[in-house]
Amino acid sequence: MVGLRSRTVGRRFAILYATVFLLSGIGLIALIYLFSRSDMTRSAPGQPPPGEPATGVAQHVLDLERQLAEVHAQQSRQLLFGSLIAIVVMAAVSLLLGRILAGHVLRPLRLITAATRRISAENLDQRLAVAGPDDEVKELADTVDGLLARLEASFAAQRRFVANASHELRTPLTTIRASLDVAVAKPQPAAQTVALAGRVRTELDRVDRLLEGFLVLARAQHGVLPDRVPVSLAELAGEALAARAGAVAEKDLTVEDELTSKAWTRGSPALLSRLVQNVIDNAIVHNQEGGWIRIATQDDAGADDAPRARLVVETGGSVLDQDQVDRLTQPFERLGTDRTGSQESSGLGLSIVAAIVSAHGGSLDLRVRAEGGLKVTAAMPSANAFDGPHGPHGPHGPHGGTA
């Protein structure tokens, strides 16, 4: 019965089969009972004519007819009682048979469902290729195969567009930069030329970062992760903090870190590095002067008890609105310009983080703090779940020596 509860369509088929069987059985019993009643009515015992006493032979015949009528009535009751018992027994049997038949009918659909779940953006070239008679199930499988073919063509077109756009857009940016360098390198350039070149170069850097963000976002959303290797979130966080020491000092921020070496996951080092950098950049840029940042890496079980490697970054500040924060994972979504640094943001940072986390099979949680500020938690499957209790590189640490 567990299977019946877990599969709605199978349960419906079984109940429908049992219902049809029971209705047919009840109708059959009703017809038998009506026919038996009709026979009893026709064979009902006769009565002597009024005013004429029954003779010995006639009385004996009447007694025999009464006894026969009683036997017919008793047989009818037994038949009805036995039929009801048979209906109850066959009701249970029909549920079992209905479940078996439903499983047989739905088996091709389950195979199609399982095969479809195994197909992702990385293997859209696979097809169901269901063999068998040209029926409704095969028609459904052929339709799914056609849909997969169209998706594969669409994904390929998008990837070609991203690659071509990257090349075509970077080429004019490089040309403009070279032209600026030539203009500034001339003997005794005008002060206005130098100032204009500086402003244009700043905008070019911003466009270049925006373009790079687009490319990273597109790659993460497509789930293209051919270089999955064990990656330490603690090492990435330490490197990102070291590279941003100047920005931290400029804002006089206090940084508290709890980086554990156990926080390992499997994925693309380049994308995971960008994830960590974006989260830390977000904590630095959108922070107040003299504020604080708390960064931690953890390795523990998630809601489904599966091991998770986590990066947790908290900041202080003003009280934020949770509804607005929930939209920050969408491209170009920003908080109000009153938030420090938001006017300089491209609006792609956390959307890139969300796409990278999703591509690695993880989850991103943005939670406002009641006392003000934001807590960002990126959780991904732990590499320790696949490589044993001593970490992703065995019992001696990441490089084979003493950890």
Side-chain angles (χ1 to χ4, degrees):
M1 298 301 292
V2 175
L4 291 179
R5 290 193 297 268
S6 62
R7 301 184 186 277
T8 305
V9 177
R11 184 173 65 246
R12 289 177 179 174
F13 273 141
I15 294 176
L16 179 62
Y17 177 84
T19 302
V20 172
F21 176 83
L22 289 177
L23 291 177
S24 300
I26 292 173
L28 180 61
I29 291 176
L31 290 175
I32 294 174
Y33 186 73
L34 289 176
F35 282 128
S36 64
R37 291 289 297 177
S38 176
D39 291 340
M40 288 176 58
T41 302
R42 287 196 300 268
S43 62
Q47 298 293 335
E52 295 184 7
T55 62
V57 176
Q59 184 63 43
H60 184 66
V61 171
L62 291 176
D63 292 338
L64 290 177
E65 289 179 348
R66 290 191 187 97
Q67 292 175 6
L68 183 60
E70 292 176 0
V71 170
H72 276 295
Q74 184 178 4
Q75 289 178 344
S76 297
R77 288 192 296 269
Q78 291 177 348
L79 177 62
L80 179 61
F81 182 72
S83 299
L84 292 177
I85 294 178
I87 285 292
V88 173
V89 173
M90 289 307 298
V93 175
S94 63
L95 284 174
L96 178 60
L97 292 177
R99 179 68 184 93
I100 296 174
L101 292 175
H104 179 72
V105 172
L106 296 177
R107 183 173 178 274
L109 296 181
R110 290 198 297 270
L111 295 177
I112 292 175
T113 301
T116 305
R117 286 176 177 171
R118 290 194 299 268
I119 298 175
S120 64
E122 297 180 10
N123 55 355
L124 283 175
D125 57 322
Q126 295 187 11
R127 297 292 182 268
L128 302 179
V130 173
D134 192 10
D135 55 8
E136 290 82 355
V137 174
K138 191 174 187 305
E139 183 180 359
L140 173 62
D142 292 341
T143 302
V144 174
D145 283 341
L147 175 61
L148 291 174
R150 292 191 294 273
L151 286 175
E152 181 184 12
S154 176
F155 270 71
Q158 287 183 357
R159 288 167 183 166
R160 286 195 301 270
F161 172 78
V162 170
N164 294 334
S166 172
H167 175 73
E168 296 296 333
L169 291 177
R170 286 186 184 279
T171 299
L173 291 178
T174 303
T175 303
I176 294 174
R177 272 200 176 87
S179 300
L180 290 176
D181 293 338
V182 170
V184 175
K186 290 181 178 180
Q188 298 180 350
Q192 292 180 345
T193 301
V194 175
L196 178 61
R199 289 196 297 270
V200 173
R201 188 177 286 108
T202 300
E203 292 302 318
L204 286 176
D205 291 339
R206 184 171 180 272
V207 172
D208 196 37
R209 288 194 300 270
L210 184 62
L211 175 60
E212 184 181 2
F214 276 133
L215 298 177
V216 173
L217 180 60
R219 185 185 179 195
Q221 288 178 334
H222 287 155
V224 183
L225 304 175
D227 51 346
R228 283 182 180 269
V229 296
V231 179
S232 169
L233 295 181
E235 290 182 5
L236 295 180
E239 294 171 358
L241 283 175
R244 289 153 179 77
V248 171
E250 184 178 350
K251 276 198 169 183
D252 192 25
L253 300 176
T254 301
V255 178
E256 304 175 11
D257 63 87
E258 300 177 5
L259 306 180
T260 172
S261 60
K262 294 181 180 180
W264 288 80
T265 187
R266 279 190 177 275
S268 166
L271 290 181
L272 290 174
S273 177
R274 172 56 65 91
L275 180 155
V276 175
Q277 292 171 13
N278 281 14
V279 173
I280 294 178
D281 283 340
N282 185 75
I284 295 174
V285 173
H286 302 294
N287 211 324
Q288 56 189 1
E289 297 286 341
W292 58 270
I293 303 174
R294 184 179 299 117
I295 303 176
T297 55
Q298 306 165 355
D299 190 272
D300 53 19
D304 55 355
D305 295 330
R308 290 285 188 271
R310 303 178 189 274
L311 172 69
V312 182
V313 178
E314 292 185 73
T315 58
S318 58
V319 178
L320 305 175
D321 181 69
Q322 184 65 51
D323 291 336
Q324 293 183 4
V325 168
D326 290 338
R327 294 195 296 269
L328 291 179
T329 56
Q330 301 299 321
F332 303 112
E333 286 288 346
R334 304 179 180 88
L335 294 178
T337 54
D338 56 329
R339 189 182 183 209
T340 305
S342 62
Q343 65 275 14
E344 301 176 0
S345 172
S346 66
L348 289 176
L350 289 179
S351 61
I352 291 175
V353 170
I356 295 175
V357 170
S358 177
H360 287 80
S363 60
L364 179 67
D365 181 64
L366 307 180
R367 192 65 51 188
V368 300
R369 303 176 71 252
E371 57 272 28
L374 183 65
K375 178 179 180 180
V376 179
T377 303
M380 286 158 290
S382 172
N384 297 323
F386 306 98
D387 296 280
H390 300 290
H393 295 280
H396 300 294
H399 303 292
T402 303

